[in-house]
Amino acid sequence: MKQLFKTGRETAKYDRAKVTPVIRCSICTGEKVAGFRDNSTGRFTDVMLLRDSRDLEEFRKKYGIEGEIEKIY
C-alpha cells in the first residue's frame, strides 16, 4: 500500500562538503533564520525562520545537525 502522508521524521540531506549550516541573526530586529552558507561563494540560503528553541531543534533534527551552529550577522 502506498503511503499517503509523510511522517515528518525523514532526515533531509545536504552536501556537507559544499555547504555549512548557519544561523543568520539580525542585529536590528533580533530575527533569526536557519539555513546554509555555500562554502565557495559565501551565499546564504534560508531554510526556516527560528521563532524559538523548538524551531532550532526541528532544523537540527531535519538535517541531522549536531554540535554548534555558527551565527552570522
Side-chain angles (χ1 to χ4, degrees), residues 6-68:
K6 292 186 178 185
T7 61
R9 304 265 186 228
E10 297 85 15
T11 302
K13 296 185 181 191
Y14 66 97
D15 189 349
R16 298 172 196 269
K18 293 185 178 182
V19 296
T20 302
V22 295
I23 298 172
R24 185 176 65 187
C25 305
S26 170
I27 295 172
C28 297
T29 64
E31 180 181 78
K32 295 180 182 178
V33 178
F36 296 96
R37 180 180 58 208
D38 187 299
N39 294 335
S40 62
T41 65
R43 184 175 180 187
F44 178 79
T45 304
D46 60 336
V47 174
M48 66 183 297
L49 176 66
L50 301 177
R51 295 171 295 204
D52 55 28
S53 60
R54 291 178 292 182
D55 290 338
L56 179 58
E57 284 305 313
E58 179 183 336
F59 177 69
R60 287 179 177 277
K61 286 180 185 178
K62 183 175 182 178
Y63 291 97
I65 301 169
E66 296 178 357
E68 290 294 316

